Amino acid sequence: MTTADPRSAIRPSRIVLGITGGIAAYKAAELTRLFVKAGVTVDAVMTEAATHFVTPTTFQALSGRPVVTDLWHAGTSNAMGHIDLSRGADAIVVAPASADFLARIAHGHADDLLSTLCLARECLLLVAPAMNRQMWSNAATQRNVARLRADGVAILGPDVGEMACMEHGEGRMLEAADLFAAVVAACQPKVLAGKRVLVTAGPTFEAIDPVRGITNSSSGKMGFALAQAAADAGADVLLVAGRTPLATPWGVTRLDVTSAAQMAEAVLARVAECDVFIAVAAVADYTPATVHEQKVKKSNDALSITLKPTVDILATVATLPRPPYCVGFAAESQDVERLGEEKRRRKKVPLLIANRAQDALGSDENAVTLLDDTGAQRLPRMGKVALARVIVGEIGRRLAQ
Ligand code: CTP
């Protein structure tokens, strides 16, 4: 029995958040809040122009750390503050990045603290452009952006929409939640680079009549977190999802289905092109033998519904002539590891993740055991997003072997 360390899943741990002059600077406050809430240390660095839109106090209060604005007061004992701040950071994220700032870093300028940090760095650099649509589409800006891309700088956005100047077009900064997701994604180890991954998630719904059906209490959170973690690890991810209100994870292609039969059809039509299949969905094992066309009317008699078995999607995929690497889940209410291992062998999957159904369903956290030919690996209870990253790391490690 081995135990994996969930702390390895938390990335980034520290970022330098650069804020340049632009109306969108207020969105950087929300971005700071999201990072801090996720346990990420944020060192905010503002250009002089940025301080005309938002004050350093805002970022100081949100990050709980000093905010630096001046190359000559970068606040370290060895007068190397311009370099020290980016040392050990996972990324420098510049949001908003003005047209002028993009031009300066495209040409290697180092005439203020933020541009100097961008030049003297070993970590990732991500920029979120924010400007008027004409400034964005101007040939000079596009040349600078192409130059930055070629230099390995990640350009996040911009979005199309209503601008501060009341014009409509491309140039709006991405929303804080999207920037957060993109930065977290960029900081993940690319253990599934180039792999195509198919994930099923959420509950299925088996219709009885036009208004009623049989479903279960799966929230889809674990499957969505795995789809997100796989995409962040560099995979091309298709998520086949049952009914759930969850938002589509960043960078993931989603296909919505309702019934077990639809889920099976969607998976079997696409799985041949995949390298990895992760079955997380809570698929109905039975479906009504007949679906009433009209609403079933109430009477005083007992009513019975005849159910017929559905296709076991995971077992079908795992026994294809050339199956992808299959990962299954087992929700057991008792004797989790023994029943999980029996299920793994019965369905012929190399890796099965067993959990207590009562612990997992609907919750934001889970404690699971990974079962494979080498035995059982217990993971401590943790949030489903962190858990998904650990599981993806384990899948990547097994694929590499
Ligand atoms: N699964 C599937 N298709 C089905 C039923 C289950 O692909 N028709 C997959 C699930 O997505 C999960 C695994 O099989 O990865 C095990 O699901 P689970 O509900 O724990 O087991 P069942 O096979 O349904 O067996 P039981 O309900 O008897 O425990």
Side-chain angles (χ1 to χ4, degrees):
M1 175 86 62
T2 55
T3 304
D5 182 359
R7 282 169 304 184
S8 60
I10 299 161
R11 277 185 213 199
S13 62
R14 183 168 76 86
I15 61 150
V16 173
L17 177 61
I19 302 127
T20 73
I23 275 288
Y26 76 92
K27 291 190 192 172
E30 173 65 2
L31 183 57
T32 307
R33 204 186 61 78
L34 291 175
F35 278 124
V36 170
K37 204 171 146 215
V40 181
T41 302
V42 177
D43 280 316
V45 176
M46 302 177 76
T47 62
E48 203 274 323
T51 62
H52 292 274
F53 293 89
V54 206
T55 70
T57 317
T58 303
F59 293 98
Q60 197 168 332
L62 289 169
S63 68
R65 315 233 331 150
V67 174
V68 265
T69 53
D70 185 350
L71 185 55
W72 309 111
H73 295 92
T76 56
S77 49
N78 65 2
M80 285 293 162
H82 60 298
I83 296 178
D84 282 351
L85 259 182
S86 62
R87 290 281 180 271
D90 296 286
I92 298 178
V93 182
V94 183
S98 65
D100 178 66
F101 187 75
L102 294 179
R104 288 194 290 125
I105 57 168
H107 292 88
H109 288 203
D111 49 4
D112 66 2
L113 178 59
L114 188 55
S115 55
T116 307
L117 283 172
C118 291
L119 202 59
R121 74 170 208 284
E122 280 169 341
C123 61
L124 297 171
L125 173 58
L126 303 99
V127 297
M131 64 197 74
N132 160 276
R133 67 183 173 84
Q134 282 170 327
M135 290 171 87
W136 173 251
S137 61
N138 187 288
T141 303
Q142 289 305 309
R143 229 177 9 250
N144 293 333
V145 168
R147 178 73 260 162
L148 289 169
R149 272 207 184 96
D151 291 346
V153 177
I155 314 288
L156 309 178
D159 219 346
V160 176
E162 190 85 37
M163 320 199 125
C165 53
M166 303 313 277
E167 288 182 12
H168 191 276
E170 194 174 8
R172 254 177 79 90
M173 188 167 89
L174 290 185
E175 293 305 325
D178 290 334
L179 289 176
F180 173 78
V183 173
V184 171
C187 292
Q188 300 310 310
K190 303 297 172 219
V191 293
L192 294 182
K195 301 286 182 208
R196 287 157 305 176
V197 175
L198 202 162
V199 181
T200 64
T204 58
F205 179 92
E206 309 302 316
I208 296 171
D209 69 14
V211 293
R212 303 181 181 98
I214 301 169
T215 186
N216 58 69
S217 53
S218 163
S219 64
K221 285 177 189 165
M222 191 68 240
F224 275 56
L226 272 160
Q228 176 73 79
D232 292 354
D236 184 354
V237 181
L238 174 63
L239 172 63
V240 178
R243 285 186 184 175
T244 156
L246 295 176
T248 307
W250 175 263
V252 167
T253 308
R254 174 176 181 168
L255 182 64
D256 284 323
V257 296
T258 301
S259 66
Q262 286 172 358
M263 188 172 275
E265 193 187 337
V267 169
L268 296 173
R270 292 165 181 85
V271 80
E273 299 141 28
C274 291
D275 304 295
V276 180
F277 175 52
I278 312 178
V280 200
V283 188
D285 293 327
Y286 296 93
T287 190
T290 49
V291 181
H292 294 269
E293 258 179 54
Q294 304 303 333
K295 191 175 167 217
V296 177
K297 286 296 181 190
K298 180 169 67 180
S299 80
N300 288 330
D301 299 333
L303 175 71
S304 50
I305 299 168
T306 306
L307 301 175
K308 61 176 185 186
T310 57
V311 171
D312 189 314
I313 306 170
L314 177 60
T316 307
V317 172
T319 50
L320 287 172
R322 294 179 59 232
Y325 184 82
C326 287
V327 183
F329 270 71
E332 307 294 347
S333 57
Q334 55 168 345
D335 213 353
V336 174
E337 284 171 23
R338 187 180 61 78
L339 293 176
E341 181 56 18
E342 272 177 29
K343 196 172 278 181
R344 185 180 83 82
R345 289 173 191 272
R346 195 170 60 245
K347 300 204 184 199
K348 297 188 169 53
V349 294
L351 177 62
L352 189 124
I353 294 143
N355 56 198
R356 255 168 53 90
Q358 305 91 307
D359 286 349
L361 282 176
S363 166
D364 285 333
E365 290 188 343
N366 199 2
V368 303
T369 303
L370 272 52
L371 302 167
D372 69 3
D373 282 341
T374 64
Q377 184 184 359
R378 236 173 244 166
L379 301 182
R381 188 170 183 81
M382 63 181 114
K384 285 183 175 174
V385 173
L387 179 59
R389 296 203 193 285
V390 175
I391 293 172
V392 161
E394 292 293 330
I395 295 172
R397 199 165 59 75
R398 284 166 174 78
L399 287 179
Q401 273 167 4

